[in-house]
Amino acid sequence: MRLRLFVLLILATWLSTGLGTGSALAEKRVALVMGNSAYKNVARLANPANDAALVGGMFRKAGFETVDVRLDLNVVDMRKALREFGSKAREADVAVIYYAGHGIELDGTNYLIPTDAALETDTDVLDEAFPLDRVLFAIEPAKQLRLVILDACRDNPFAKTMKRTVASRAIGRGLAKVEPTSPNTMIAFAAKAGSTASDGDAKNSPFATALVERLPMPGLDLRKAFGFVRDDVLKNTGYKQEPYVYGSLGGDDVPLVAAKPVVTAPQGPTANPQDGIRRDYELALQTGNRDGWEAFLQAYPDGFYAGLARAQLKNVAAEEARAAAVAKARQAEDEKARLTAERANKAEQDKAAAAAKAAEDARLAAEKAKQIEEAKAAAAEQRRKDAEAAAAKVLADKQAAEKALADKAAAELAAKPANDKAQGEQKVAAVTPAQSSPSLSPQETAKLVQSELRRVGCLAASADGEWNASSQRSLTLFNKYAGTKLDAKLASFEALDAIKAKPGRVCPLVCDHGFKADGDACVKITCRAGYRINDDNECEKVQDKKPVAAREDAKKRDTERKQTEAAPAKPQASGQMYCGPAGCRPVAKGCHLDTQPRNGNIITSPREICN
């Protein structure tokens, strides 16, 4: 079975890469890298020199035979650099020119601007700058691939001060769209035609950063690599800058760096059976096409790697759908342009315009679906790397423990008297690595199991190696939703293997009050105005409450106080206090307080009357 799969994968690799990849090691590849930062007549650009150094290093690491890095070129230096590189391109299979600096579009023609250009008028562009056609002329002799990368779409300060000799002359924003006439030629812009690129806030521009990460990936077709560059730049610029590629290549994959050859070692009697599956998975990953993944799934329809392979196959299908949608949209746009140029009747033009719009909508939908499947495939690949790293750590710890045990036994044997040699040999044999069992500590084993439980969504706490009640409940939840019967009281290797076999979430997502599950994340519940979240995590209308009549209550209390103060004082019984000009004292025995009115006059102060 493995031999048949190996043959299928090799065949898929050969079909996908063609002769181009197979002969990549024998190709002669040359690159010219130019970065203009120190402009004399406008403000200095921060990143082009840094970007040129970064990209030049990338080409050297990719194995290019010649990489010329030229910085801050004036018009004479740039002319000399292009002339010398043209001579090298005549003997090369692959020729690449990268330029970072200012560029300008004049009447539909793109120009690269040297550092000493003044460009006081629009006609100065013809004398002081280099048209893109001059750059294409330098790489044209290359036999297999001609690639020009322009990070020259920045906001141009020359255009703001330049005088027009002809009022109708167009000076565009960014660079103009190009259509290479030579076969196997690609031109990559840092930003789509008619838009500008960002220098970024870091040492290097977002475009250059994405280039050095994506282009040198072994076996990755250039068209796909620039697609990844586009996605990275869009994401890092808040979807304000979209790189674009013009030109076309043939049907074979054209990687900048050839795929690494895979050497499959024979499995020994003690080899891990998962090693063979992993090697076949990595071989299918390098082919990156439908045939390779289907061959893998035919050989291994179940298990951890099968789930990863299905995610990769969906990514391939999404890329095929995207490519088909792009081709259809291009055809519809060409048909629309043709009918417009031929002045066809309005009905035909409207029909073509509707078809072009539908094709463009389908292309955008396919692009979005591709991004989703690509993210899922990347997540699956990360899960594989995490699982293999954990397994490698377990194996390394096991081997280290076995070695320490064997060294200890050997030391004990050396310390024994000569007459105990036979007994010592028996002890060494008893502790050989072939008979020893995994020697991970319980805490290390628990930490591995907890990490896997977190990955499948059954454990919310951190993996601290303490197998407590929370961890036991998590493993019980895994048993419930995965249909297993693992012992929840113990963190075992059996549990670790069972959880690793699950490629995605197993336990349902549980969110706190005020949040709801959205895929693999909890999002906050937002209620509209006049509603609040109830105990059932639902939005309900807020009941209005009438305000308390505080002023009426206060008015009532004030009235009662005044009535109390206005009431006449009652006669005091003996033993009460009499207050006069001299102060207050108890009422004398046999006396009382007289409060009755006399002669129609009200007594405002009680009098003490004694018999």
Side-chain angles (χ1 to χ4, degrees), residues 360-440:
E360 180 63 15
D361 292 341
R363 183 191 69 80
L364 293 175
E367 289 276 4
K368 186 175 181 180
K370 171 66 174 62
Q371 292 175 5
I372 293 173
E373 294 302 332
E374 191 175 82
K376 291 181 179 178
E381 182 63 12
Q382 187 59 46
R383 289 198 300 271
R384 177 182 76 88
K385 292 178 179 179
D386 292 343
E388 290 177 355
K393 184 178 185 304
V394 170
L395 180 61
D397 292 343
K398 176 183 175 181
Q399 292 174 345
E402 290 171 347
K403 184 178 183 302
L405 192 60
D407 291 344
K408 181 180 179 181
E412 292 177 352
L413 178 63
K416 290 286 184 180
N419 57 359
D420 292 335
K421 182 178 180 181
Q423 183 179 1
E425 290 175 349
Q426 293 177 0
K427 289 183 180 181
V428 173
V431 295
T432 54
Q435 299 177 359
S436 60
S437 58
S439 55
L440 283 178

Side-chain angles (χ1 to χ4, degrees), residues 9-34:
L9 290 174
I10 291 297
L11 179 61
T13 304
W14 180 79
L15 290 174
S16 66
T17 57
L19 297 177
T21 302
S23 61
L25 296 177
E27 291 176 348
K28 181 176 181 180
R29 298 177 295 167
V30 295
L32 171 63
V33 179
M34 298 180 287

Side-chain angles (χ1 to χ4, degrees), residues 558-591:
D558 188 54
T559 302
E560 292 175 350
R561 180 180 59 78
K562 290 181 179 179
Q563 290 175 352
T564 302
E565 292 176 351
K570 296 181 180 180
Q572 302 291 326
S574 177
Q576 294 186 343
M577 299 296 292
Y578 165 71
C579 294
C584 296
R585 58 177 174 78
V587 177
K589 187 174 181 181
C591 299

Side-chain angles (χ1 to χ4, degrees), residues 36 39 45 48 51 98-105 110-113 132 148-157 159 172-178 187-200 205 207-208 233 240-246:
N36 285 347
Y39 282 90
L45 287 174
D51 295 340
Y98 170 86
Y99 172 79
H102 276 309
I104 193 171
E105 179 258 315
N110 298 316
Y111 295 85
L112 310 186
I113 304 178
L132 179 57
V148 176
I149 305 174
L150 296 181
D151 193 357
C153 309
R154 295 167 172 82
D155 191 12
N156 194 342
R173 182 173 182 265
L175 299 181
K177 179 180 179 181
V178 294
I187 302 175
F189 284 3
K192 194 174 181 179
S195 60
T196 58
S198 170
D199 231 8
S205 72
F207 183 59
V233 174
K240 295 178 181 178
Q241 177 182 336
E242 179 184 7
Y244 214 81
V245 176
Y246 301 92

Side-chain angles (χ1 to χ4, degrees), residues 348-590:
E348 290 181 347
Q349 291 189 31
D350 291 344
K351 183 178 179 180
K357 185 178 185 306
E360 180 63 15
D361 292 341
R363 183 191 69 80
L364 293 175
E367 289 276 4
K368 186 175 181 180
K370 171 66 174 62
Q371 292 175 5
I372 293 173
E373 294 302 332
E374 191 175 82
K376 291 181 179 178
E381 182 63 12
Q382 187 59 46
R383 289 198 300 271
R384 177 182 76 88
K385 292 178 179 179
D386 292 343
E388 290 177 355
K393 184 178 185 304
V394 170
L395 180 61
D397 292 343
K398 176 183 175 181
Q399 292 174 345
E402 290 171 347
K403 184 178 183 302
L405 192 60
D407 291 344
K408 181 180 179 181
E412 292 177 352
L413 178 63
K416 290 286 184 180
N419 57 359
D420 292 335
K421 182 178 180 181
Q423 183 179 1
E425 290 175 349
Q426 293 177 0
K427 289 183 180 181
V428 173
V431 295
T432 54
Q435 299 177 359
S436 60
S437 58
S439 55
L440 283 178
S441 68
Q443 187 174 11
E444 291 173 327
T445 305
K447 191 170 183 179
L448 289 175
V449 176
Q450 287 171 336
S451 297
E452 289 300 313
L453 285 172
R454 282 178 56 86
R455 181 182 63 81
V456 298
C458 297
L459 177 64
S462 60
D464 55 7
E466 296 295 331
W467 194 252
N468 49 27
S470 175
S471 301
Q472 295 176 17
R473 284 195 301 270
S474 300
L475 187 52
T476 302
L477 279 176
F478 178 83
N479 284 333
K480 176 181 177 181
Y481 292 104
T484 55
K485 296 181 179 179
L486 303 168
D487 185 3
K489 297 180 180 179
L490 178 66
S492 62
F493 283 95
E494 180 185 4
L496 182 63
D497 292 339
I499 303 171
K500 280 183 178 180
K502 301 298 179 182
R505 174 178 287 276
V506 173
C507 298
L509 184 63
V510 178
C511 300
D512 295 336
H513 181 264
F515 292 81
K516 64 180 180 180
D518 184 6
D520 286 339
C522 290
V523 297
K524 188 175 181 180
I525 300 173
T526 303
C527 298
R528 66 177 186 267
Y531 285 75
R532 66 179 182 84
I533 301 174
N534 60 16
D535 294 338
D536 296 328
N537 235 24
E538 298 175 346
C539 292
E540 68 174 11
K541 191 171 184 180
V542 178
Q543 299 295 331
D544 295 334
K545 295 182 179 180
K546 295 182 179 180
V548 179
R551 289 187 296 177
E552 293 182 2
D553 291 347
K555 184 177 180 181
K556 183 178 179 181
R557 290 195 297 271
D558 188 54
T559 302
E560 292 175 350
R561 180 180 59 78
K562 290 181 179 179
Q563 290 175 352
T564 302
E565 292 176 351
K570 296 181 180 180
Q572 302 291 326
S574 177
Q576 294 186 343
M577 299 296 292
Y578 165 71
C579 294
C584 296
R585 58 177 174 78
V587 177
K589 187 174 181 181

